[in-house]
Amino acid sequence: LTYRMSRITRSYQQHELSTFEPNPDILKQLEDEDSIWFGQEKSEVILKVHADVVLHFMQRQLLPEQELVKTLEDGGILVSSKISHAMQLLPLVRYWIPHVEIVSPEHLQDELETELKKYFESIGIELKTEDKEHYKFIFAELLKDRKSAICDSSENETIKTYLERTSKIVAVVAGGSVA
């Protein structure tokens, strides 16, 4: 048999521990924590948010313990986030590519880029250039066109073929040649 706690309506056992007193400091720490990485030391991450999406980040906190650091001349912003584990932040940054970039610590941005390169290789796209602007352009086009990860039904184009096509366009625009 399987029992679900939410379905229990009556209990015949006494559930109070007469000798247990919770530590108020630990209770406060539990109440204040907003992640599953409880009790680990937090580190600060600085991120650059592009002007196109600043409004989203100003309206509410999208990142753990998000705080505005600086408004940039181009309309973008720098924000800080305090995290206990990289996985608190990396999925969020991936979602906002190309509009959010990790400024520091640099090893987190490097980790993100390495994961993306591995993903592209797994779908048969070899990234031959280290030019970050090239990839920002591709991601911006993906977001603009709202391509689906599976297939765009209107054009029957997968992300793989879309990236191959836009990579050729970028190579030609940049003065390169297409093999």
Side-chain angles (χ1 to χ4, degrees), residues 104-117:
S104 74
E106 289 181 16
H107 73 86
L108 281 179
Q109 181 68 24
D110 294 341
E111 183 178 332
L112 177 68
E113 291 174 14
T114 300
E115 288 175 6
L116 289 172
K117 286 179 184 178

Side-chain angles (χ1 to χ4, degrees), residues 47-90:
L47 303 104
K48 181 179 178 185
V49 178
H50 189 274
D52 292 344
V53 297
V54 162
L55 182 61
H56 297 286
F57 287 81
M58 297 299 284
Q59 287 179 334
R60 65 187 184 116
Q61 284 195 348
L62 297 174
L63 306 171
E65 298 184 38
Q66 174 183 318
E67 290 183 16
L68 177 65
V69 173
K70 180 180 179 181
T71 302
L72 304 172
E73 289 180 19
D74 65 0
I77 57 173
L78 289 179
V79 295
S80 75
S81 177
K82 292 190 175 67
I83 61 169
S84 299
H85 193 279
M87 287 307 292
Q88 279 181 275
L89 189 66
L90 293 180

